[in-house]
Amino acid sequence: RDISQRKVMEAKLLKQAKELQELDSFKNKMLSIISHDLRSPLVSNIGLLNLLLDRLDDELSEKQRTMLSAINNSIQHQLKLVENLVDISMIHRGVMSINLAPESVVEILRESRSMLLQMAKDKGVEIIESCADDILINVDKERMIQVVNNLVSNAIKFTKTGGEVTLSAKVSGGSVVLIVEDTGIGIDPERIEKLFDMSEKTFTFGTDGERGTGLGLSICKELTQLNKGNISMESERGKGSKVTLVFDLIR
């Protein structure tokens, strides 16, 4: 009877293992659809809307321009959510590709600033870059630009018109310290830890009602750690926020 019970249990475990494998395969297929079949049309629609806003700027009424901008912002929010979901899946499955190489901190900060300059101008926020000396860090450049972009866009979102976002870098001992600091509305210090926890759903509207995914900082933490760095945040309600990234200095 013991042998029979063991065989029944083994058969049950094999069935469950097969079901889990099929479920995992289905999940991967869905993520493939999300990352390609859903992302591609969103990117195309954003491109078309930007083209309309640029080429027809003089012909559009203020109401039409406002409506097109609102649609554009909504689609960009959807695209960001799709990209975050794909990133989370890749990180948790251990298939996120990270190619570490010596990279220029100045180039990373300048590329990020360039990509988000229009977003800042539209809101009346100045992005200041302060990095006198070129410093090298051993990171995946594309992923680090993604991290800095997330931090800068977040800073812009929570900074009012006329405010500033500062990107800076310095050498401290045997480390390189990158800082994204803003003059925004800040948050309560006790909420900071939850912002980096993927299991916590934290969502706050920006100063102009901008929507976020609630996943940005948790993804920044994961990507920073994959690049052998550490991330931390300081903030105070009404006094802005400062996010610090620390990496080993390449000598």
Side-chain angles (χ1 to χ4, degrees), residues 20 32 37 48 64 68 74 82 85 108 120 131 136 143-144 148 153 175 180-181 210 217 235 237 240 244:
L20 285 171
S32 177
D37 295 356
L48 288 171
Q64 290 172 327
L68 285 174
S74 178
V82 167
L85 289 172
I108 290 171
C131 187
L136 296 180
R143 292 300 177 186
M144 278 315 304
V148 176
S153 62
S175 301
V180 178
E181 189 169 10
E210 304 99 320
L217 286 177
S235 188
R237 179 70 67 177
T244 303

Side-chain angles (χ1 to χ4, degrees), residues 25 30 33 45 56 62 69 78 89 102 108 117 129 180 229 241:
S25 177
M30 289 300 99
I33 292 171
N45 288 338
L56 301 179
E62 189 63 31
S69 294
Q78 294 170 35
S89 173
I108 290 171
L117 201 54
E129 179 200 326
V180 178
S241 301

Side-chain angles (χ1 to χ4, degrees), residues 5 13 37 63 71 92-93 96 113 122 144 178 216 226 231:
Q5 287 178 340
L13 289 171
D37 295 356
K63 186 176 181 180
I71 294 170
H92 280 252
R93 286 161 55 210
M96 173 71 75
R113 181 180 183 276
D122 289 343
M144 278 315 304
L178 279 68
L226 286 172
I231 185 170

Side-chain angles (χ1 to χ4, degrees), residues 22-248:
E22 290 174 351
L23 184 62
D24 190 56
S25 177
F26 176 77
K27 180 188 71 176
N28 291 339
K29 185 177 180 180
M30 289 300 99
L31 282 167
S32 177
I33 292 171
I34 289 172
S35 63
H36 183 269
D37 295 356
L38 186 57
R39 186 181 183 279
S40 295
L42 288 173
V43 172
S44 297
N45 288 338
I46 289 171
L48 288 171
L49 281 168
N50 285 330
L51 194 63
L52 277 173
L53 287 166
D54 287 341
R55 293 194 175 182
L56 301 179
D57 186 55
D58 295 335
E59 302 175 31
L60 294 172
S61 68
E62 189 63 31
K63 186 176 181 180
Q64 290 172 327
R65 192 178 297 106
T66 300
M67 289 176 65
L68 285 174
S69 294
I71 294 170
N72 195 17
N73 290 336
S74 178
I75 296 175
Q76 287 191 23
H77 173 73
Q78 294 170 35
L79 177 62
K80 189 65 177 176
L81 182 58
V82 167
E83 291 176 337
N84 282 346
L85 289 172
V86 173
D87 283 344
I88 289 170
S89 173
M90 291 175 68
I91 289 168
H92 280 252
R93 286 161 55 210
V95 296
M96 173 71 75
S97 177
I98 298 291
N99 301 307
L100 302 180
E103 299 290 353
S104 164
V105 172
V106 170
E107 286 186 15
I108 290 171
L109 296 183
R110 284 181 181 169
E111 285 193 36
S112 179
R113 181 180 183 276
S114 175
M115 292 166 76
L116 294 167
L117 201 54
Q118 189 58 50
M119 176 184 178
K121 284 182 178 178
D122 289 343
K123 195 171 181 182
V125 173
E126 185 179 3
I127 302 179
I128 301 169
E129 179 200 326
S130 174
C131 187
D133 299 320
D134 199 4
I135 312 164
L136 296 180
I137 53 176
N138 202 42
V139 294
D140 184 307
K141 185 178 180 181
E142 181 181 344
R143 292 300 177 186
M144 278 315 304
I145 290 175
Q146 181 182 349
V147 169
V148 176
N149 281 355
N150 264 329
L151 297 178
V152 174
S153 62
N154 216 42
I156 294 169
K157 185 169 75 169
F158 292 105
T159 299
K160 294 179 181 178
T161 299
E164 297 176 350
V165 175
T166 303
L167 309 180
S168 62
K170 63 181 180 180
V171 175
S172 178
S175 301
V176 176
V177 182
L178 279 68
I179 298 172
V180 178
E181 189 169 10
D182 64 66
T183 59
I185 58 175
I187 62 168
D188 297 322
E190 56 268 22
R191 290 190 56 216
I192 290 176
E193 192 173 340
K194 291 183 178 180
L195 295 176
F196 290 98
D197 188 347
M198 206 168 285
S199 64
E200 293 278 354
K201 183 58 180 175
T202 55
F203 175 77
T204 308
F205 284 99
T207 56
D208 281 356
E210 304 99 320
R211 293 185 297 169
T213 64
L215 298 169
L217 286 177
S218 56
I219 291 176
C220 285
K221 178 182 177 181
E222 298 281 354
L223 290 176
T224 300
Q225 290 176 342
L226 286 172
N227 277 276
K228 313 299 182 186
N230 292 303
I231 185 170
S232 61
M233 183 177 183
E234 300 171 42
S235 188
E236 188 176 344
R237 179 70 67 177
K239 294 187 177 180
S241 301
K242 180 169 79 170
V243 181
T244 303
L245 305 169
V246 181
F247 299 91
D248 288 336

